[in-house]
Amino acid sequence: MIAILRRKLPLAGRAGLPLWLILLMVSSPGPADDTAPGRTLAQQAVQEYEAWITADHADMEILQQEFTSGPEVTQACLSCHTLAAKQFHKTIHWTWLDPNADPSERIGKAGITLNNFCISIISNWPRCTSCHAGYGWKDASFDFSDETKVDCLVCHEQTSTYKKFPTGAGHPVSKPTVFKGNGKTFNPPDWNLVAQSVARPTRQNCGNCHFRGGGGDAVKHGDLDSSLEHPDMVLDVHMGEDGKNFDCIRCHSTTAHKVAGRAYSTPAAPDRRSLLEDDELPRIMCESCHSATPHVSGSKANDHTDKVACQSCHIPTFARVIPTKMNWDWSTAGRKKEGKGVIEKGPTGKPSYHFKKGDFVWEKSVVPEYYWYNGAMQTLTAEDTIDPTRVVAINMPQGSKAEPNARIYPFKVHRGRQGYDVVNKTLLIPHLVGKKGTAAYWGSWDWNRAFTSGMEQAGLPFSGEFDWVETKYHYPTTHMVAPKENVVGCSECHSPEGRLADLSGFYMPGRDSYRLVDIIGLLMVIGSLLAVIVHGLGRLFSRNGQGG
């Protein structure tokens, strides 16, 4: 019997699971099926959805005038949408700062927080702000109060021809221009055409920045890349074009231009009620549509939802189509051969080395790492003291088993090597983007000059002595939700070498071995089997006695 069970559960057998746990797993109901309450509730929550409109912008007289720039289009938009810019100015998409943090802390990508891919936007504005929904953020003097600097088109135009120039501080080009970074020619937009096309944001609008964050496709997030522009249900059951074909705003609901879902120091969405309980909740949590008990009645999986995030089981791997960057070593940048910068491709077809940026490691179909997570992140800044003898966590998921809103959650962990101040024990902001002869690293190839310039523009001290330190950065993984047939199997976690092997502080059957618990469980199973045998024998002898 044990041999049969181990053939049915080969991973469990190899992991050495106790007999009583194997029997329990075999007898427990499997994954959700078409009759699962969570599936039914979700179907009710999203049925008959139609993004209706009340105006055709192509017919509006004010959009027939000849435009020559983005701010001119924005001014025309504001003649009708009089509150739009004021609303947008209060959002994270505009400020790039944590709205719940003390302003003096400067938490956010526009502040002195860092990452370990592009490090910081400070001193590198024209390149980084090509993904800002605004025009002209080229230095620290940018006027955040100017309503005409809001870029309405980047989120709303529907021609797919509107492109910002990579180093244009948010502006498209005014004439055909070649970007030396990739040799691609950028053309000026047909301003009237794009202005008259505006509608609700689509997946393409969001993806123009979010699929290509960090300087390229799949660099930053492992679960957000261009494969989601036209996915099938195998890649993402919600966004698949052969299924529900959700756009981003179907889940990331918006109020007064504030888009739900961004997590800084406070949880993105702490309320776990379903939309059927309260249809005015932001539609961002899995429970919003699927409820807190989404699986078939009696399923063991329903017992996990209070401690395990849905994503932990339903996103078995990320970067399933396009490799994502998992490691970035800045310390090796600058290598040249015969006066020309060296560029090397790795086994995935992506660059494994670039003279401007150093060494890279790209991976595909990556198994996430898991942490307790309550929706908030603790963020390091360039003012915080670090311990360079250890790997520095630039940001860290917050939460513990004791917190009712915390769940075991999957993350992409991007590792890197970047500069730090040897004397002050702080991470350094490098000035990277700049012309030849400037203090920028790509202009001078001098790290000391680059760090001096970057820290000076951030208003922070630099001792003049630097070295390199290992770092890690955590990205919550919540996209690329796989079909129910491809979810994480029980034995992938309930085993000594499983996915949760490094998550401590609690007892997990199959992973942790407590002799007393194992003995009790085994005795329970043996007792149950003996009871069945005794009962069966009793019925057999009773029948034979009656027949005699």
Side-chain angles (χ1 to χ4, degrees):
M1 179 179 178
I2 294 176
I4 294 173
L5 291 173
R6 292 202 187 280
R7 285 199 298 272
K8 288 185 177 180
L9 290 171
L11 287 176
R14 286 197 296 272
L17 297 185
L19 172 62
W20 65 271
L21 178 60
I22 297 175
L23 290 170
L24 178 63
M25 292 167 66
V26 171
S27 63
S28 297
D33 60 20
D34 290 347
T35 63
R39 183 179 178 86
T40 303
L41 291 173
Q43 290 171 338
Q44 293 174 2
V46 300
Q47 65 185 348
E48 298 180 3
Y49 172 74
E50 183 179 355
W52 49 273
I53 60 173
T54 59
D56 184 351
H57 288 77
D59 294 334
M60 294 186 174
E61 183 178 352
I62 196 168
L63 298 182
Q64 309 300 320
Q65 63 179 295
E66 184 177 348
F67 298 108
T68 59
S69 70
E72 290 179 2
V73 175
T74 297
Q75 198 161 14
C77 296
L78 295 178
S79 67
C80 290
H81 302 277
T82 56
L83 297 178
K86 292 180 175 64
Q87 293 172 351
F88 194 71
H89 280 180
K90 298 177 182 178
T91 70
I92 296 175
H93 274 104
W94 179 252
T95 65
W96 281 7
L97 291 170
D98 181 356
N100 298 303
D102 187 320
S104 65
E105 295 177 345
R106 294 193 281 173
I107 303 295
K109 66 180 68 175
I112 55 173
T113 54
L114 308 96
N115 55 58
N116 60 1
F117 45 99
C118 294
I119 314 298
S120 174
I121 76 164
I122 294 176
S123 72
N124 304 302
W125 291 284
R127 179 68 177 97
C128 299
T129 57
S130 63
C131 266
H132 183 244
Y135 297 116
W137 189 358
K138 62 181 180 180
D139 54 36
S141 67
F142 180 68
D143 184 0
F144 283 90
S145 66
D146 189 338
E147 294 187 10
T148 65
K149 292 188 182 297
V150 172
D151 184 353
C152 306
L153 295 173
V154 73
C155 293
H156 292 282
E157 76 88 23
Q158 301 303 316
T159 68
S160 298
T161 62
Y162 180 77
K163 307 291 182 184
K164 291 170 173 269
F165 192 65
T167 56
H171 284 289
V173 295
S174 57
K175 61 182 180 180
T177 305
V178 176
F179 177 52
K180 294 180 181 179
N182 56 17
K184 181 180 177 181
T185 299
F186 285 75
N187 295 305
D190 182 331
W191 291 108
N192 290 88
L193 181 66
V194 296
Q196 294 169 20
S197 75
V198 296
R200 286 182 175 86
T202 63
R203 192 184 305 163
Q204 182 71 43
N205 293 120
C206 302
N208 281 336
C209 286
H210 290 284
F211 294 165
R212 298 169 177 84
D217 192 7
V219 169
K220 186 175 177 181
H221 297 281
D223 62 336
L224 284 172
D225 59 42
S226 63
S227 67
L228 291 177
E229 291 176 351
H230 302 286
D232 57 21
M233 288 182 65
V234 174
L235 180 59
D236 192 292
V237 295
H238 301 110
M239 300 173 74
E241 293 182 328
D242 52 343
K244 289 295 183 181
N245 196 23
F246 285 174
D247 281 327
C248 304
I249 59 173
R250 193 72 178 97
C251 291
H252 293 276
S253 55
T254 304
T255 302
H257 285 92
K258 292 181 180 179
V259 182
R262 184 67 173 91
Y264 271 117
S265 58
T266 56
D271 201 324
R272 294 183 175 274
R273 285 174 293 169
S274 75
L275 288 172
L276 297 179
E277 295 173 273
D278 185 347
D279 62 5
E280 293 185 355
L281 291 172
R283 187 181 299 106
I284 191 63
M285 306 293 285
C286 299
E287 292 95 324
S288 300
C289 290
H290 294 280
S291 83
T293 53
H295 308 92
V296 291
S297 179
S299 170
K300 189 65 180 173
N302 280 334
D303 295 338
H304 285 63
T305 59
D306 63 332
K307 292 299 179 185
V308 181
C310 303
Q311 294 90 332
S312 292
C313 294
H314 289 269
I315 306 177
T317 58
F318 56 82
R320 296 202 291 273
V321 176
I322 300 174
T324 187
K325 192 173 286 187
M326 296 298 293
N327 195 296
W328 186 328
D329 185 353
W330 279 98
S331 71
T332 61
R335 182 155 51 95
K336 297 184 179 182
K337 186 176 182 180
E338 297 178 356
K340 293 184 177 181
V342 174
I343 302 176
E344 298 172 348
K345 281 197 172 182
T348 65
K350 298 274 192 176
S352 60
Y353 180 83
H354 195 291
F355 70 102
K356 284 188 173 184
K357 303 176 181 180
D359 282 292
F360 308 131
V361 174
W362 299 79
E363 295 180 19
K364 189 176 176 182
S365 296
V366 184
V367 174
E369 297 184 35
Y370 300 88
Y371 295 85
W372 287 103
Y373 183 49
N374 62 18
M377 303 290 289
Q378 185 179 41
T379 306
L380 196 71
T381 75
E383 289 183 318
D384 295 322
T385 303
I386 65 167
D387 179 359
T389 65
R390 306 176 64 181
V391 176
V392 176
I394 298 179
N395 71 344
M396 196 67 194
Q398 297 300 287
S400 68
K401 181 179 180 295
E403 296 181 47
N405 279 333
R407 303 287 187 275
I408 296 172
Y409 205 94
F411 287 81
K412 169 187 170 178
V413 181
H414 181 267
R415 290 173 167 81
R417 200 160 186 250
Q418 61 199 93
Y420 80 98
D421 189 317
V422 173
V423 176
N424 294 321
K425 300 291 190 298
T426 57
L427 292 177
L428 292 170
I429 294 174
H431 182 182
L432 298 169
V433 183
K435 295 181 180 180
K436 186 176 181 179
T438 66
Y441 181 68
W442 297 340
S444 66
W445 305 107
D446 183 332
W447 277 119
N448 203 297
R449 287 185 66 187
F451 288 135
T452 299
S453 176
M455 295 297 280
E456 183 179 283
Q457 293 186 61
L460 298 172
F462 172 45
S463 70
E465 297 183 41
F466 73 91
D467 203 344
W468 306 97
V469 64
E470 305 288 335
T471 60
K472 60 179 181 177
Y473 196 96
H474 302 81
Y475 298 96
T477 299
T478 197
H479 306 92
M480 297 188 179
V481 178
K484 61 182 180 180
E485 295 81 9
N486 298 341
V487 300
V488 176
C490 301
S491 59
E492 292 187 55
C493 293
H494 290 277
S495 62
E497 304 300 325
R499 291 173 179 244
L500 303 184
D502 296 330
L503 202 61
S504 61
F506 64 101
Y507 173 77
M508 176 181 287
R511 183 195 69 173
D512 304 318
S513 179
Y514 290 139
R515 186 169 180 81
L516 179 60
V517 174
D518 290 344
I519 291 174
I520 293 173
L522 181 59
L523 290 175
M524 290 173 63
V525 172
I526 293 174
S528 298
L529 289 175
L530 289 175
V532 170
I533 293 171
V534 170
H535 179 71
L537 291 174
R539 289 180 60 87
L540 177 63
F541 287 124
S542 175
R543 186 181 301 115
N544 289 340
Q546 291 176 357

